[in-house]
Amino acid sequence: MATIIINFKAYREGSGERAVALAKAVREVAEKADFYMAVAPSFLDISDILRNVEIDVFAQHTDAVGYGSNTGRIPPEMLKEKGIRGSLINHSERRLRLADIEFLVSRFRELGLTSVVCTNNVATTQAAAAFSPDYVAIEPPELIGSGIPVSKAEPEVVENSVKAAKKMDSEIRVLCGAGIATYEDVVAAMDLGADGVLLASGVVKAKDQKKALEELVGLR
Ligand SMILES: O=C[C@H](O)COP(=O)(O)O
């Protein structure tokens, strides 16, 4: 089943009570859609969503630390403790060092958390795949938030990233993101070999988020 992860980022439209409402909408659409759907809300909204919505929740970032004297940092162990499914790692808006990415992918594996390592081109996708994360998510930063879908604007980046990742480890699932908003964009991504998409503004900033979700999965 293909994957759709919706990143709420720090958008006002996806925060506080609106985050819970959006997570509920994702859950309702996921029940009718032929996709695995998960959400990546702000840290501050994760507990409310876990308490109120039956849906897999991912963190938007995790720090390469353990429990201890790490002010303001979030170790993987805390995600596990809260029942969080996994995390985006190295999102272009929250970049990490190579050693941190390797540490997190390895620690996530030990803890049974799902790792989604974000990359910005074919070379970084190949490098990230060397750590065998569960997912890599290729997202050209210049298209993020643009409304111009990567699956149409830079199909070769998606296709070559899929090839590079699967050559490194055939088990890795490849998402693509940046500008994805419609079912057509999702199908185009999968035609290029992607196993799903990672998106934010196409849904979170939509006037009617539920309608945008239904359009995204082909229910409209
Ligand atoms: O995490 C999501 C990506 O940054 C893509 O964002 P976008 O869908 O707003 O282009």
Coordinates of all heavy atoms in Angstrom, one line a residue, residues 5-7 9 11 88 91-93 118 139 143-147 177-180 198-203, ligand 1:
I5 N 2.3 10.8 4.0 CA 2.5 11.5 5.3 C 2.3 13.0 5.1 O 2.8 13.6 4.2 CB 4.0 11.2 5.8 CG1 4.2 9.7 5.9 CG2 4.2 12.0 7.1 CD1 5.7 9.4 6.4
I6 N 1.5 13.5 6.0 CA 1.1 14.9 6.0 C 1.8 15.6 7.1 O 1.6 15.3 8.3 CB -0.4 15.1 6.0 CG1 -1.0 14.5 4.8 CG2 -0.7 16.6 6.1 CD1 -2.3 13.9 5.0
N7 N 2.7 16.5 6.7 CA 3.6 17.3 7.7 C 2.8 18.6 8.0 O 2.6 19.4 7.1 CB 4.9 17.6 7.0 CG 5.8 18.3 7.9 OD1 5.5 18.7 9.1 ND2 7.0 18.7 7.4
K9 N 4.0 20.9 9.8 CA 5.0 22.0 10.0 C 4.6 22.9 11.2 O 4.1 22.4 12.2 CB 5.2 22.8 8.7 CG 5.7 21.9 7.6 CD 6.2 22.6 6.4 CE 6.9 21.7 5.4 NZ 7.5 22.4 4.2
Y11 N 2.5 25.5 10.6 CA 1.4 26.2 10.0 C 0.3 26.4 11.1 O -0.1 25.5 11.8 CB 0.8 25.5 8.8 CG 1.7 25.5 7.6 CD1 2.0 24.4 7.0 CD2 2.1 26.7 7.0 CE1 2.8 24.4 5.8 CE2 2.9 26.8 5.9 CZ 3.2 25.6 5.3 OH 4.0 25.6 4.2
L88 N 10.3 12.2 10.9 CA 11.1 12.8 9.8 C 12.5 13.0 10.4 O 12.6 13.5 11.5 CB 10.5 14.1 9.3 CG 9.0 14.0 8.9 CD1 8.6 15.4 8.4 CD2 8.7 12.9 7.9
H91 N 14.9 16.8 7.7 CA 14.0 17.6 6.8 C 14.8 18.9 6.4 O 15.6 19.4 7.2 CB 12.7 18.0 7.5 CG 11.7 18.6 6.6 ND1 11.8 19.9 6.2 CD2 10.6 18.1 6.0 CE1 10.8 20.2 5.4 NE2 10.1 19.1 5.3
S92 N 14.5 19.3 5.2 CA 15.3 20.5 4.7 C 15.2 21.7 5.6 O 16.0 22.6 5.6 CB 14.9 20.8 3.3 OG 13.6 21.4 3.2
E93 N 14.1 21.7 6.4 CA 13.9 22.9 7.3 C 14.4 22.6 8.7 O 14.3 23.4 9.6 CB 12.4 23.3 7.3 CG 11.9 23.7 6.0 CD 10.4 23.6 5.8 OE1 9.7 23.1 6.7 OE2 9.9 23.9 4.7
C118 N 14.9 12.6 5.1 CA 14.6 13.5 4.0 C 15.9 13.9 3.3 O 17.0 14.1 3.9 CB 14.0 14.8 4.6 SG 12.4 14.5 5.4
E139 N 13.1 15.6 -1.6 CA 12.3 16.8 -1.7 C 13.2 18.0 -2.1 O 14.0 18.5 -1.3 CB 11.8 17.2 -0.3 CG 10.8 16.3 0.3 CD 10.1 16.9 1.5 OE1 10.8 17.4 2.4 OE2 8.9 17.0 1.5
L143 N 11.3 23.6 -4.5 CA 9.9 23.4 -4.8 C 9.0 23.3 -3.6 O 7.8 23.4 -3.7 CB 9.8 22.1 -5.6 CG 10.4 22.1 -7.0 CD1 10.3 20.7 -7.6 CD2 9.8 23.1 -7.9
I144 N 9.6 23.3 -2.4 CA 8.8 23.1 -1.2 C 7.9 24.4 -1.0 O 8.3 25.5 -1.1 CB 9.7 22.9 0.1 CG1 10.3 21.6 0.0 CG2 8.9 23.1 1.4 CD1 11.3 21.3 1.1
G145 N 6.6 24.1 -0.8 CA 5.7 25.2 -0.6 C 5.3 26.0 -1.9 O 4.6 27.0 -1.8
S146 N 5.8 25.5 -3.0 CA 5.7 26.2 -4.3 C 4.3 25.9 -5.0 O 3.9 26.7 -5.8 CB 6.8 25.9 -5.2 OG 6.6 24.5 -5.6
G147 N 3.7 24.8 -4.6 CA 2.6 24.4 -5.3 C 2.9 23.8 -6.7 O 2.0 23.4 -7.5
G177 N 8.4 14.6 -2.2 CA 7.6 15.7 -1.7 C 8.1 17.0 -2.3 O 9.1 17.0 -2.9
A178 N 7.2 18.0 -2.1 CA 7.4 19.4 -2.6 C 6.4 19.7 -3.6 O 6.4 19.1 -4.7 CB 8.8 19.6 -3.1
G179 N 5.4 20.4 -3.2 CA 4.4 20.9 -4.2 C 3.3 19.9 -4.5 O 2.4 20.1 -5.3
I180 N 3.3 18.7 -3.8 CA 2.3 17.7 -4.1 C 0.9 18.2 -3.5 O 0.9 18.6 -2.4 CB 2.7 16.4 -3.4 CG1 4.0 15.9 -4.0 CG2 1.6 15.3 -3.6 CD1 4.0 15.3 -5.4
L198 N 5.2 12.8 0.6 CA 5.3 13.6 1.9 C 4.8 15.0 1.5 O 5.4 15.5 0.5 CB 6.7 13.6 2.4 CG 7.0 14.5 3.6 CD1 6.2 14.2 4.8 CD2 8.5 14.5 3.9
L199 N 3.9 15.5 2.1 CA 3.4 16.8 1.7 C 2.9 17.7 2.9 O 2.8 17.1 4.0 CB 2.2 16.7 0.7 CG 0.9 16.2 1.2 CD1 -0.3 16.8 0.5 CD2 0.8 14.7 1.1
A200 N 2.7 18.9 2.7 CA 2.3 19.8 3.8 C 1.3 20.8 3.2 O 0.1 20.7 3.4 CB 3.5 20.6 4.3
S201 N 1.7 21.9 2.5 CA 0.8 23.0 2.3 C -0.4 22.7 1.4 O -1.5 23.3 1.6 CB 1.6 24.1 1.6 OG 2.3 23.6 0.5
G202 N -0.3 21.7 0.5 CA -1.4 21.3 -0.4 C -2.6 20.9 0.5 O -3.8 21.1 0.0
V203 N -2.4 20.4 1.7 CA -3.5 20.0 2.5 C -3.7 21.0 3.7 O -4.7 21.6 3.9 CB -3.3 18.6 3.1 CG1 -4.3 18.3 4.2 CG2 -3.5 17.6 2.0
Ligands
LIG1 O1 7.3 18.0 4.5 C1 6.8 18.4 3.5 C2 7.6 19.1 2.5 O2 8.4 20.1 3.0 C3 6.8 19.6 1.3 O3 6.1 20.7 1.6 P1 4.9 21.2 0.6 O4 4.0 20.0 0.4 O5 4.3 22.4 1.3 O6 5.6 21.6 -0.7

